[in-house]
Amino acid sequence: MPLDQSTYKIPVARTVADLRETVSAWRAAGLRIGFVPTMGALHEGHLSLVDLAAQHADKVVVSIFVNPTQFAPEEDLEAYPRTEPDDAAKLAKRPSDLIFGPNAAEMYPEGYDLQINVGGVSEGLETDHRPHFFGGVATVVAKLLCQVAPDVAIFGEKDYQQLQVIKKLVRDLSLPVEIIGGATGREADGLAMSSRNVYLTEDERARAVQLSAALKAVHDQMKSGATIDAARDLGLSILRAAGFDPIDYLEVRDADTLAPLSNTSRRARILAAAKLGTTRLIDNIDLEI
Ligand code: PAF
């Protein structure tokens, strides 16, 4: 199938073969390739990652693939927003050069079996609540990195544990790609941008801001000398008062290993995941210690 040059203002590769043909030509011309993997439903947070990729590369590939293997059967795979024409229109206004938009059969052909388990930093936090998640993410990202073969790939810090999992994946597989984290895009009131925010009702959207407020409260408490337990208690009370239920976790962890803080920890990360109505939100912030 040739590259689709006509549907959108930006070319789309639907197959790995077409993707490789374009990227190989760029590489043969001595160009540096940047990559931003996404599941579409693009918002300003994603687009800022595209801008960041362009600062590190001559050509930027953006993949749009709602990866079924990172959703559990009871999760929102069917309902997940699919807005490819809108996504392409947004990308056409940013420094992006190619969309890779495969279908599930292209990514997981008949007989596909490989599943990657990253271990280490993928254990705990998200995995305690979504045990399938990082296996699906690591596997699809490993495939995408092999398919695109970029020099640099950008992942949002909003999914902070995912970013650490990808760094470990790349290290453990010796993949020749630099992984860079992009700052979390935030709405004016502080809510982390997420494709899932569209699920929030008006009332939930108003209360959702308390997730970033709780992280900030934990941060400020820790900075003024409170213990982790005392700081967490305050954060949890803010989340409960806003109606978050269940609160999957609110933790202060080592920023690199995501293990509990130790004497050797140089930086910390405050991470939380909780549900508001049917929508699960996650967020995290840095804590200098
Ligand atoms: O963060 C996401 O959007 C997804 O987990 C990713 C990295 C594109 C893999 O499907």
Side-chain angles (χ1 to χ4, degrees):
M1 201 191 301
L3 271 195
D4 182 349
Q5 305 270 5
S6 58
T7 313
Y8 307 133
K9 286 192 180 141
I10 171 167
V12 183
R14 296 286 174 201
T15 65
V16 176
D18 291 338
L19 166 75
R20 286 206 168 122
E21 200 177 310
T22 303
V23 173
S24 306
W26 288 338
R27 195 167 290 292
L31 300 177
R32 198 173 145 80
I33 316 298
F35 177 44
V36 183
T38 82
M39 298 207 299
L42 301 183
H43 49 66
E44 195 51 40
H46 294 113
L47 299 173
S48 70
L49 302 182
V50 173
D51 294 344
L52 184 59
Q55 290 168 23
H56 293 271
D58 303 303
K59 295 283 185 185
V60 175
V61 179
V62 179
S63 64
I64 298 180
F65 178 62
V66 182
N67 174 38
T69 67
Q70 66 192 74
F71 290 78
E74 74 282 5
E75 290 184 348
D76 56 344
L77 174 61
E78 294 310 322
Y80 198 85
R82 287 165 174 82
T83 56
E84 198 187 79
D86 283 355
D87 296 341
K90 288 176 186 167
L91 288 172
K93 295 188 186 141
R94 304 302 261 254
S96 55
D97 301 280
L98 180 69
I99 294 174
F100 178 44
N103 63 20
E106 181 70 9
M107 291 301 279
Y108 302 113
E110 189 73 30
Y112 181 90
D113 281 323
L114 178 74
Q115 174 80 4
I116 295 180
N117 177 3
V118 173
V121 76
S122 72
E123 283 154 18
L125 298 171
E126 282 300 295
T127 298
D128 288 344
H129 303 275
R130 307 180 72 200
H132 58 283
F133 180 63
F134 286 126
V137 168
T139 304
V140 79
V141 170
K143 281 179 68 74
L144 287 165
L145 291 176
C146 291
Q147 291 162 343
V148 179
D151 297 286
V152 58
I154 314 285
F155 292 80
E157 285 186 348
K158 198 205 108 208
D159 297 285
Y160 189 81
Q161 189 178 9
Q162 170 176 279
L163 173 62
Q164 305 312 312
V165 167
I166 303 303
K167 285 184 176 168
K168 178 163 162 42
L169 170 82
V170 162
R171 238 181 3 252
D172 288 359
L173 285 176
S174 311
L175 294 177
V177 56
E178 182 187 359
I179 302 298
I180 296 181
T184 303
R186 294 189 181 275
E187 305 291 352
D189 64 357
L191 175 67
M193 290 180 184
S194 163
S195 306
R196 289 189 165 102
N197 289 351
V198 296
Y199 300 151
L200 296 168
T201 64
E202 202 176 320
D203 170 58
E204 288 164 354
R205 170 63 189 83
R207 287 183 283 130
V209 62
Q210 294 304 325
L211 181 56
S212 57
L215 293 174
K216 173 130 191 353
V218 174
H219 173 276
D220 293 351
Q221 285 284 301
M222 296 274 302
K223 279 298 209 189
S224 56
T227 62
I228 293 185
D229 285 349
R232 278 185 72 234
D233 282 351
L234 176 66
L236 289 169
S237 66
I238 293 172
L239 292 179
R240 281 191 208 105
F244 281 89
D245 184 31
I247 299 167
D248 285 349
Y249 57 85
L250 171 59
E251 296 287 343
V252 183
R253 295 290 180 92
D254 181 286
D256 296 319
T257 63
L258 296 183
L261 285 188
S262 71
N263 292 340
T264 57
S265 297
R266 285 171 294 122
R267 279 186 320 125
R269 204 84 190 175
I270 308 167
L271 309 104
K275 256 184 166 176
L276 205 47
T278 55
T279 308
R280 187 172 185 274
L281 300 176
I282 68 170
D283 198 356
N284 66 87
I285 58 172
D286 188 46
L287 170 66
E288 274 175 39
I289 47 175

